[in-house]
Amino acid sequence: IVHVAWREAERMGAVVTCEGFDHVNAVRGPVVYAANHMSMLETLILPVILLAHSPLSIVLKKSLLRYPAFGPPLVRTRPIAVTRKNARDDLATVLREGRARLDNGRSVLLFPQATRRAVFDAAQFNSLGDKLARQAGVPLVPVALQTDFQGIGRVVKDFGRVDPSRPIRFAFGPALADGAAKGGRHRQCVAFIEDRLRAWNLPVASQGGSHDS
């Protein structure tokens, strides 16, 4: 289904670009990918790229697995499903199941923002990726993406209107090893995403609550 989603997006006029994958290819073994979250599109298309490096499990909301077209293929990827109802339970699930996947050679993709946002706000981008990577002893790879080709739906949030004028972009940062300073790797991850989004002229929230682009 992920290949179908990619081809369908291109059929509707999407231009898909990917940069920095050499950073991923330089790593042997599984990694944790931490990406910003704009639409459902990255859940379907990003695995096409990441599977070139290693098997992959995605942290996603459990309700996605119930969609008739997308649910069964997603189940086969051995996802880590969370409810988004109890943050503490979801954290425990991701750390427990994520560690098991990584120990078995599967990389893990997660979206620390939890909900999709047009404006990237570092305050809403939690450090779960860093926590999981540190627990499993694997690198953390930051991923900046632009997928507002597909908007957020009014009735069904997962499926919004398509805007063919918007490019689909993925950028991978250097694989980050665990540093001595607490929180340092998380800050590096956030800084990479902010820098790439600004380079793409996308809005990034400032510390004062407003945003720049």
Side-chain angles (χ1 to χ4, degrees):
I1 188 69
V2 292
H3 290 88
V4 171
W6 186 311
R7 291 196 299 269
E8 185 64 16
E10 290 185 324
R11 187 189 68 79
M12 290 187 287
V15 177
V16 184
T17 60
C18 175
E19 59 184 85
F21 197 70
D22 54 319
H23 294 307
V24 180
N25 282 334
V27 179
R28 296 178 64 87
V31 303
V32 173
Y33 302 100
N36 60 304
H37 202 12
M38 293 189 78
S39 75
M40 186 175 172
L41 202 57
E42 57 259 25
T43 307
L44 299 175
I45 291 183
L46 191 50
V48 178
I49 303 169
L50 301 183
L51 285 168
H53 173 256
S54 66
L56 179 74
S57 290
I58 311 171
V59 178
L60 45 73
K61 61 181 182 180
K62 194 172 184 178
S63 61
L64 290 180
L65 303 179
R66 295 196 290 267
Y67 284 131
F70 303 111
L74 287 174
V75 168
R76 289 196 291 272
T77 68
R78 295 188 62 197
I80 301 169
V82 294
T83 64
R84 299 276 169 79
K85 295 179 180 179
N86 186 307
R88 182 174 297 179
D89 288 348
D90 286 346
L91 172 62
T93 296
V94 173
L95 291 178
R96 181 182 66 255
E97 296 189 20
R99 173 67 183 273
R101 301 293 197 282
L102 291 160
D103 286 347
N104 284 318
R106 299 181 72 90
S107 294
V108 173
L109 166 64
L110 51 80
F111 304 98
Q113 287 173 266
T115 190
R116 304 172 199 109
R117 300 177 186 274
V119 178
F120 181 76
D121 184 352
Q124 303 296 326
F125 192 88
N126 66 53
S127 60
L128 179 55
D130 184 35
K131 289 185 175 71
L132 176 59
R134 185 171 64 252
Q135 184 185 84
V138 302
L140 174 68
V141 176
V143 184
L145 56 82
Q146 177 184 1
T147 59
D148 51 356
F149 171 88
Q150 178 197 33
I152 299 174
R154 293 183 179 180
V155 179
V156 180
K157 188 176 181 181
D158 297 321
F159 302 100
R161 295 180 63 181
V162 167
D163 181 354
S165 71
R166 309 295 291 177
I168 298 173
R169 294 166 165 151
F170 302 101
F172 300 90
L176 304 173
D178 194 9
K182 184 176 181 180
R185 181 164 59 171
H186 174 67
R187 289 189 292 273
Q188 287 179 280
C189 179
V190 169
F192 173 82
I193 293 173
E194 288 183 333
D195 287 347
R196 294 313 304 150
L197 295 181
R198 287 193 175 101
W200 295 336
N201 294 316
L202 294 175
V204 174
S206 66
Q207 292 184 350
S210 60
H211 67 267
D212 55 66
S213 60

